Amino acid sequence: MSHNTFGHLFRVTTWGESHGAAIGCVVDGCPPNLPLDEAYVQGFLDKRKPGTSRFVTQRKEPDEVRILSGVFADDRTDGQVTTGTPISMMIENVDQRSKDYSEIRDRYRPGHADYAYDQKYGIRDYRGGGRSSARETAMRVAAGAVARRVLGDGITIRGAVIQIGPHMIDPENWDWDETGKNPFWCPDAKTAAQWESFLDETRKAGSSAGAIVEVHASGVPAGWGAPIYGKLDSELASAMMSINAAKGVEIGAGFAAASYSGEENADEMRMGNEGVRFLSNNNGGVAGGISTGQDVVVRVAIKPTSSILSQTRSVTRDGDEVDVRTKGRHDPCVGIRAVPVAKAMMACVLADAKLRHHGQMG
Amino acid sequence: MSHNTFGHLFRVTTWGESHGAAIGCVVDGCPPNLPLDEAYVQGFLDKRKPGTSRFVTQRKEPDEVRILSGVFADDRTDGQVTTGTPISMMIENVDQRSKDYSEIRDRYRPGHADYAYDQKYGIRDYRGGGRSSARETAMRVAAGAVARRVLGDGITIRGAVIQIGPHMIDPENWDWDETGKNPFWCPDAKTAAQWESFLDETRKAGSSAGAIVEVHASGVPAGWGAPIYGKLDSELASAMMSINAAKGVEIGAGFAAASYSGEENADEMRMGNEGVRFLSNNNGGVAGGISTGQDVVVRVAIKPTSSILSQTRSVTRDGDEVDVRTKGRHDPCVGIRAVPVAKAMMACVLADAKLRHHGQMG
Amino acid sequence: MSHNTFGHLFRVTTWGESHGAAIGCVVDGCPPNLPLDEAYVQGFLDKRKPGTSRFVTQRKEPDEVRILSGVFADDRTDGQVTTGTPISMMIENVDQRSKDYSEIRDRYRPGHADYAYDQKYGIRDYRGGGRSSARETAMRVAAGAVARRVLGDGITIRGAVIQIGPHMIDPENWDWDETGKNPFWCPDAKTAAQWESFLDETRKAGSSAGAIVEVHASGVPAGWGAPIYGKLDSELASAMMSINAAKGVEIGAGFAAASYSGEENADEMRMGNEGVRFLSNNNGGVAGGISTGQDVVVRVAIKPTSSILSQTRSVTRDGDEVDVRTKGRHDPCVGIRAVPVAKAMMACVLADAKLRHHGQMG
Amino acid sequence: MSHNTFGHLFRVTTWGESHGAAIGCVVDGCPPNLPLDEAYVQGFLDKRKPGTSRFVTQRKEPDEVRILSGVFADDRTDGQVTTGTPISMMIENVDQRSKDYSEIRDRYRPGHADYAYDQKYGIRDYRGGGRSSARETAMRVAAGAVARRVLGDGITIRGAVIQIGPHMIDPENWDWDETGKNPFWCPDAKTAAQWESFLDETRKAGSSAGAIVEVHASGVPAGWGAPIYGKLDSELASAMMSINAAKGVEIGAGFAAASYSGEENADEMRMGNEGVRFLSNNNGGVAGGISTGQDVVVRVAIKPTSSILSQTRSVTRDGDEVDVRTKGRHDPCVGIRAVPVAKAMMACVLADAKLRHHGQMG
């Protein structure tokens, strides 16, 4: 219900503004006795970190996470483990350049949340985007690390960028290993090279580019999720659409399914060695809102970073027409850093689905 | 939280199976003193009704709604009005042909929820699809009628089908009036003619076609919705993805935004006669999860009806390989009847956003 | 969240007014494959039924329940069982005397919800109390029947009235069997006789009496419930206080604990044949919000029926001072019929706690 | 839903263990533009602080609160104000004596949550009671401070202890001013003197005493709260029962109402200068779950502190019988420090009711 909370049994609440004292989250409902320490969470955070290549923002955010509650270790536990009580995690904000914000406090940057926040609340912490900053997604990644402990080793979550600007990958070239070898999480080496020059130009032009992110979860057993409004795909749609700059979500064949015939779209079934085997996965691992045992496949459309150097027409808080340029150290393609975030959201949604399934089914 | 409930303050719970005694819903949280009677709700239901053209299922579902609670009329009220207590609505199931279900009770129809339900629950009411039947959407439409009373006359919700199978409309020809003149809710007269022959062929071939539905809400004031996990677009994504056969949701430019540059995607602002005027609407009326005052624009991808006459490979409950054909009176393109449903979901999400906004902002 | 819903995983939504078309409930989240049919639910409803003795209202409410969804039977199931989908139950209202309500529509009956409803909603269905009528509790009893299926045979829920007006039972005489032998659910035969004459006088005087109800749940395993705001006693307090006319709730020693010393209050422990054995149960089976394995013991204070024949001073809707007498067929002591209701609420809270426990703990 | 969260629109999540790094809370849903700074919150915390008299624990907990998010100040705001985004507050734990916990880690202290936690989770942070420590209530007080800003100056919340051990106050002597003049929040000077000697003896004997706390909220308008399961008294019961050591809650006349006749209990009405005037307040300001405009009156029974020096019989984790004494700096009567906590819970429940009322009623 709470605006800053998601999940039902595995429940994540985040708080904090980009340039406030800190950002943080509380993960409630986590089962006890799962191994969890700061190093483990930090490993996930480091993958989302700014400054790792010239294609992401050059801001320095050490993003050192502290776990403040919900874990315990003594000489009887096998390292630090969860206790079943709420897990509070926090990252102090350190790279807050004390600069002059007078410009953005009065001018609405097109594509940003500035205008909408002011219309709603009549006040906002405009420093660095405040609550609407993508910095908040660090806490999703931290929560996602906990979610993976809930899911266990049997479930693998992988993510890739499959389109940047107008350039899509060639699915024929898909190689998961490739995603770790380039700064774009690109599964197609050839396309990665293309993106490199495309994004260099984009960056030099002070412009930005959109992207499509794809996430797969393997090993999800059949039966998670539930009709009608707690459908697994419905929960995924909500979670993914809540990511900053997300404008579209699709499951399996997604929008392409609209052009298919019933025969093309049917995921036919045969018996395999380990039970039912599907001959295709247009449903993206979900039927009737419930997992089928196939890979859960989600794609998210990320719009181009709204902060661009080019001059755009806008208005001020007082209703004067102005031209706006957003200087600063921005991501030329925010979709790249969305990969660990989308994977974390997948992990959280699945962890919640797992606990809810156990709730009803024992 | 409840699997069969959506909304937070304007809250809809649906129940019922396709071939059970009845289907129904409970709408809780509705403000009092809004006019509401059965004729009003029935008007919306009639637009979703089967049997209105040869392009939708020929099943006869009179779908006569009864309002069982939450309304009141005496000589002091202006007709029947809501009282602020839960509104229970019900439609008795009448066209339940007592046929032999032995075939589908044991065979999993590809693309259907059969297999997933059995994997989850170990039991299902297989008659006519049971709980996973699109029949449930009638109650969304009924709830949507109540939601429109909450929204009032200042907000207009319109819907269209913009693609059937591989055939998209030409946006240049868009005419909302046209949507009422053909059996497809098609805003482009030319494309409607094309769809007619395409769907006739599809139907004759015993096949089915996917579709894309687009819904616009005009008159939504700036400020509804809220960061971070209660974003208006996040709520819409969840609501739309919960519609039967939905596989994708996008807001504004949606997936197309991935190929835009920051300059192309920016919704620039100027001052108009009534305050801020946006020069484009790539954001689909939502920024930072909050409405901007522009039209809220959502598209939903609907996969082709899974019930087709063609033979598809499948398995039985006992693990035997079989071939399945789904006879019966099915929609060749279930996307057509999804239009009133998607409009209803838009209405419900907005009604909830309105109440929540008032909750926090007074 | 919804005002007319309680529970989290085992979730009950009720609807309906006393003199509307019907009352009903939707039970969502119930596990599948539990036996459930109308006869079973009716058995619980019959225990709450009016007209069973001269000490309860003489209204005739056949209260015949229909189960409209969420259950299924075929030749493979062992009778009718739940399917895991929402269970809708309904009772049509039949004994609605078409009388003149002009008096109570304008006059606020002291102790009733009339004034508060009007202040909140500006409108109310005043016929027979509308939504605030104790008739709504029939649906709690129906939901409680489902909850007992979730709990299974290992958990026994028993209830008694331990005080009517100023007359308390003698705890020394407590005999559970006795509760079925008198019309008061009184566990003390001697006190039952006293109550009989006391309530006869009360009834003849057109007055009414308060009562205290006590409910025990035996067989609840240790570990249900959870800190901090989902404490089992917190959930019980909320559930019991929502019963019409309830003004107080206590767990275990309750208010008496305030006068105890730490030594008197401590529930000391020793080892028994089947694990830990407590030497007393001042905690009422709950410590730190979590069940201990002892009997869960709750008491509820029920105020005297507000509808009395005696003249009481009041005001009208228009602000005129008037005297009010409430004619009709009212319960002289509504606390008697609260016993099956309080037992049902105990069952629902425990069923929810069971599912939530499984959710987090697997 | 979340176990560590309460409230619906004004929503409080707490986290932290007694001897972990810190304790904290997140308050979500707060309206924007309300004045809020650390000094204001600290003022409330100081009233709950240990070590203020010899009748409360001598532990030193500086309890210095930090507000980490959700507030903002610049040269246009009137001091620091809320922004409508989540308010994160934290208190670092400092007085954690590094002592030997080996005793309580294996022995279950009677009356404590030790055994129940172990039964549920199989693990617990036993240091100082961990999550079940009353230290958590500091964050309720912090959240309550925010709630008071939401309520505004028109609503006054006052609290008193009306019974300690077997010694009740004389209601005839009630003087609110007196509550600030003795270390017991006692409104009856005479009784305060009696408690002083009683508690000195209790303390010296290493024993403890229970108490009853009473909280009044004045200025609450008619119409807050809502039927049936969101009743204001139901929400209060849940909130109060969640306080550590609470074993009973009553509204208005509470359990005493059980012994009243309908005539005695009726809150008759007459017209006053400012509308309806009630001639008594047995309902405690709530009828049908909705506020009536009278004072909202709640009482909470607090059991004696479980930590006592006297030897009590218990068992160890391994099932051995042992005798336990709980050394340390414990409150002889934890009910005293429960007063600011119960007032904070009243504030939070009312703030939530206010926002929910606005949500439905505009």
Side-chain angles (χ1 to χ4, degrees), chain A:
Chain A
M1 166 69 234
S2 183
H3 290 129
N4 294 282
T5 298
F6 69 99
H8 304 271
L9 291 187
F10 183 86
R11 201 166 171 100
V12 178
T13 300
T14 73
W15 55 268
E17 281 81 33
S18 173
H19 285 55
I23 58 172
C25 70
V26 184
V27 178
D28 198 8
C30 185
N33 286 307
L34 303 174
L36 189 75
D37 58 24
E38 287 161 359
Y40 179 75
V41 178
Q42 194 66 46
F44 289 92
L45 282 165
D46 289 347
K47 287 181 185 141
R48 176 203 158 274
K49 210 150 91 169
T52 49
S53 83
R54 69 180 183 277
F55 305 107
V56 298
T57 174
Q58 295 306 302
R59 281 193 305 275
K60 278 176 212 138
E61 298 174 357
D63 281 4
E64 273 175 30
V65 71
R66 284 180 66 201
I67 304 180
L68 300 171
S69 68
V71 291
F72 188 66
D74 71 4
D75 53 9
R76 283 193 302 218
T77 62
D78 188 12
Q80 189 169 274
V81 297
T82 59
T83 59
T85 63
I87 300 163
S88 173
M89 296 186 281
M90 184 172 80
I91 296 173
E92 304 222 20
N93 289 330
V94 293
D95 185 35
Q96 310 153 14
R97 295 202 183 169
S98 60
K99 66 171 180 174
D100 179 14
Y101 287 104
S102 56
E103 211 167 282
I104 64 168
R105 93 174 184 178
D106 294 319
R107 295 166 177 227
Y108 297 131
R109 295 165 298 163
H112 274 281
D114 303 350
Y115 173 74
Y117 267 66
D118 257 7
Q119 288 294 307
K120 184 175 192 77
Y121 298 116
I123 185 176
R124 78 197 141 92
D125 180 346
Y126 40 75
R127 300 168 303 163
R131 183 70 183 144
S132 71
S133 163
R135 182 150 175 68
E136 184 268 349
T137 60
M139 299 323 300
R140 303 179 187 224
V141 172
V146 182
R148 281 157 200 260
R149 289 301 198 198
V150 175
L151 295 173
D153 293 336
I155 291 179
T156 308
I157 298 173
R158 291 177 295 187
V161 175
I162 61 165
Q163 182 178 330
I164 288 186
H167 307 293
M168 294 192 61
I169 62 155
D170 180 350
E172 297 291 315
N173 299 340
W174 192 297
D175 176 2
W176 279 112
D177 289 339
E178 198 58 42
T179 57
K181 295 181 184 157
N182 59 68
F184 313 108
W185 307 103
C186 182
D188 169 4
K190 234 174 177 173
T191 303
Q194 190 186 23
W195 289 352
E196 184 159 353
S197 54
F198 173 73
L199 279 183
D200 270 333
E201 283 167 42
T202 300
R203 196 166 47 86
K204 281 169 198 162
S207 184
S208 62
I212 298 179
V213 170
E214 182 165 326
V215 177
H216 290 221
S218 310
V220 178
W224 290 6
I228 299 288
Y229 303 109
K231 284 177 175 167
L232 188 57
D233 33 4
S234 197
E235 298 281 335
L236 283 168
S238 172
M240 296 299 173
M241 197 67 101
S242 76
I243 297 174
N244 301 48
K247 299 307 290 183
V249 181
E250 55 182 18
I251 310 283
F255 278 87
S259 60
Y260 292 173
S261 70
E263 289 80 3
E264 288 164 338
N265 192 62
D267 293 326
E268 296 184 291
M269 288 177 264
R270 279 292 176 243
M271 294 308 295
N273 293 333
E274 298 168 20
V276 167
R277 183 171 55 91
F278 290 87
L279 309 186
S280 59
N281 190 10
N282 289 311
N283 265 333
V286 187
I290 300 170
S291 61
T292 61
Q294 293 187 277
D295 277 13
V296 177
V297 178
V298 181
R299 272 178 299 283
V300 192
I302 304 289
K303 69 176 185 180
T305 319
S306 298
S307 302
I308 47 178
L309 272 175
S310 318
Q311 202 157 296
T312 48
R313 288 170 287 176
S314 187
V315 299
T316 68
R317 203 174 172 173
D318 298 327
D320 297 321
E321 301 193 337
V322 286
D323 289 337
V324 172
R325 303 157 146 272
T326 313
K327 292 166 212 159
R329 301 155 294 169
H330 303 290
D331 288 279
C333 175
V334 78
I336 299 167
R337 291 210 293 138
V339 171
V341 179
K343 287 166 68 182
M345 295 309 276
M346 172 70 90
C348 290
V349 167
L350 290 177
D352 191 38
K354 179 180 180 176
L355 300 190
R356 291 171 93 184
H357 183 69
H358 287 177
Q360 187 173 15
M361 304 305 301

Side-chain angles (χ1 to χ4, degrees), chain D residues 147-222:
Chain D
R148 280 157 201 259
R149 288 302 198 199
V150 175
L151 295 174
D153 292 336
I155 292 179
T156 307
I157 297 172
R158 291 177 294 188
V161 175
I162 60 165
Q163 182 177 333
I164 288 186
H167 307 293
M168 294 192 62
I169 61 156
D170 180 348
E172 297 292 315
N173 298 342
W174 193 295
D175 176 3
W176 280 112
D177 289 339
E178 198 58 41
T179 58
K181 295 181 185 157
N182 59 66
F184 313 108
W185 307 104
C186 182
D188 169 5
K190 234 173 175 173
T191 304
Q194 188 186 25
W195 290 352
E196 186 160 350
S197 53
F198 173 72
L199 279 182
D200 270 333
E201 283 167 41
T202 300
R203 196 166 48 87
K204 281 170 200 162
S207 184
S208 62
I212 298 179
V213 170
E214 181 166 326
V215 177
H216 290 222
S218 310
V220 178

